Amino acid sequence: MFGFGGSSNDRIAITFDNEDARPKKKLSNNAVAHPVFANIEPVTGVVEIRVPQGKRLEHQGIKIEIELFYDRGNFYDFTCILRELDTPGVLYPFDFSNAEKPYESYNGLNVRLRYFIRVTVTRGYPSGNLVKEQDFVPAPEVNNTIKMEVGIEECLHIEFEYDKTKYHLNDIIIGKVYFLLVRIKIKHMELAIIRREAAGSGPQMYNDSETITKFEVMDGAPVRGECIPIRLFLSNFNLTPTYRNINNKFNVRYYLNLVLVDQEERRYFKQQEITLYRAAE
């Protein structure tokens, strides 16, 4: 009854609507590029199940999942939307109009996050089920700018500005530092990118902080009214997207750390969180 042969790739095809015209993005080197969907955009397409003539087909449904790979072996589904395929035939359209896509896809050491369509065709023993998965990638959110004034009373007052708060992994951080008041003998100024990753909860929590790079933006003492430009190319570094409080299981955050060092090696710094995302190709 359920004995038609072939693999899931042979028997099941998943096609997104307007797939050829969509931007594509690779999630890792040498990987297949997946179609990109905006955060509020419906995920729609067609599933084709190829059934040999004279054979019967029973199916379970289609579902979209967000999968978290954590603690080197455990899996968590923190979104699961099920659609039953109750129409006879081999072409099954799907429409996930309310499927939320709040996070970027991610593949790290302790955490894996992906969006995909999964098709499951239920078959009787001993044939087993046919399962086919097709990934897609969410698009980034709207961007903003960063502008702040910081300092030490009667000693130092600076204004720093970055062109935006969200950067794709091949982007350029462009900004400036403007010195409004300088009564400290500053030796140099540097900008660092810091990554902080936390995974798990309670006694099973993993915490790591890593300085990705340090970039010297000024060498020598500034004067009042001086403006120092910042231009940092992110494509030169091993970066990943940002993730915040995903199912209370993991965080990956990035910070720009602006540091001023005086002639007595005292350090004055200000951190600003930024968001990193994968850009569509």
Side-chain angles (χ1 to χ4, degrees):
M1 182 182 299
F2 305 100
F4 61 90
S7 66
S8 299
N9 289 332
D10 296 332
R11 297 304 183 189
I12 302 174
I14 303 173
T15 304
F16 295 105
D17 288 344
N18 201 28
E19 185 169 335
D20 292 339
R22 286 189 176 279
K24 302 292 196 305
K25 182 61 189 177
K26 294 181 179 180
L27 300 181
S28 61
N29 293 334
N30 301 320
V32 176
H34 302 297
V36 176
F37 285 83
N39 290 344
I40 61 173
E41 184 180 9
V43 179
T44 60
V46 173
V47 172
E48 179 183 3
I49 302 177
R50 305 180 181 96
V51 184
Q53 187 175 3
K55 300 292 184 180
R56 290 182 56 187
L57 170 67
E58 291 188 5
H59 52 75
Q60 181 179 6
I62 292 181
K63 64 179 178 180
I64 297 177
E65 297 174 294
I66 301 175
E67 178 187 71
L68 173 62
F69 171 63
Y70 153 70
D71 195 20
R72 302 172 179 86
N74 297 316
F75 292 85
Y76 301 87
D77 294 332
F78 47 104
T79 297
C80 180
I81 306 172
L82 181 66
R83 296 290 186 270
E84 294 295 337
L85 299 179
D86 52 8
T87 304
V90 294
L91 290 177
Y92 303 95
F94 59 87
D95 184 347
F96 296 93
S97 298
N98 299 317
E100 296 183 357
K101 303 177 284 295
Y103 311 113
E104 288 287 329
S105 299
Y106 178 78
N107 192 1
L109 296 176
N110 298 307
V111 175
R112 184 187 183 195
L113 174 64
R114 58 188 287 239
Y115 294 81
F116 59 93
I117 299 288
R118 172 182 287 162
V119 181
T120 302
V121 178
T122 302
R123 305 190 298 176
Y125 180 84
S127 300
N129 295 343
L130 284 177
V131 179
K132 177 69 177 290
E133 297 174 355
Q134 180 65 52
D135 290 80
F136 64 92
V137 181
E141 300 175 355
V142 177
N143 217 336
N144 294 305
T145 60
I146 303 173
K147 187 174 183 179
M148 296 183 64
E149 294 185 13
V150 296
I152 304 172
E153 187 175 0
E154 303 298 330
C155 294
L156 179 68
H157 187 191
I158 65 173
E159 178 183 274
F160 67 92
E161 180 178 347
Y162 303 116
D163 59 334
K164 46 194 174 184
T165 58
K166 301 178 179 68
Y167 297 88
H168 62 75
L169 300 186
N170 294 317
D171 215 336
I172 304 171
I173 295 177
I174 298 175
K176 64 180 180 179
V177 179
Y178 185 69
F179 289 87
L180 302 171
L181 176 65
V182 184
R183 293 179 179 173
I184 297 175
K185 295 181 179 180
I186 296 176
K187 184 169 62 174
H188 70 268
M189 179 171 61
E190 64 186 26
L191 182 67
I193 300 177
I194 298 174
R195 174 167 58 207
R196 294 175 181 161
E197 178 180 321
S201 60
Q204 300 297 321
M205 174 72 75
Y206 298 92
N207 288 282
D208 292 291
S209 183
E210 178 184 7
T211 299
I212 304 298
T213 185
K214 290 183 179 180
F215 174 68
E216 187 174 279
V217 295
M218 183 191 70
D219 185 13
V223 297
R224 181 178 179 179
E226 187 168 1
C227 183
I228 307 298
I230 295 174
R231 191 174 182 87
L232 179 60
F233 292 80
L234 297 179
S235 60
N236 297 326
F237 311 110
N238 182 23
L239 301 172
T240 67
T242 294
Y243 301 91
R244 297 187 179 91
N245 299 321
I246 297 184
N247 199 37
N248 295 320
K249 293 296 182 182
F250 83 99
N251 292 273
V252 181
R253 297 173 180 259
Y254 286 88
Y255 297 84
L256 292 177
N257 191 32
L258 186 66
V259 181
L260 289 87
V261 182
D262 66 16
Q263 293 184 354
E264 297 180 3
E265 298 299 325
R266 290 178 296 200
R267 301 171 68 87
Y268 310 89
F269 64 91
K270 179 66 176 180
Q271 285 191 358
Q272 175 64 46
E273 185 175 1
I274 59 173
T275 299
L276 301 183
Y277 63 91
R278 298 186 188 276
E281 294 180 344

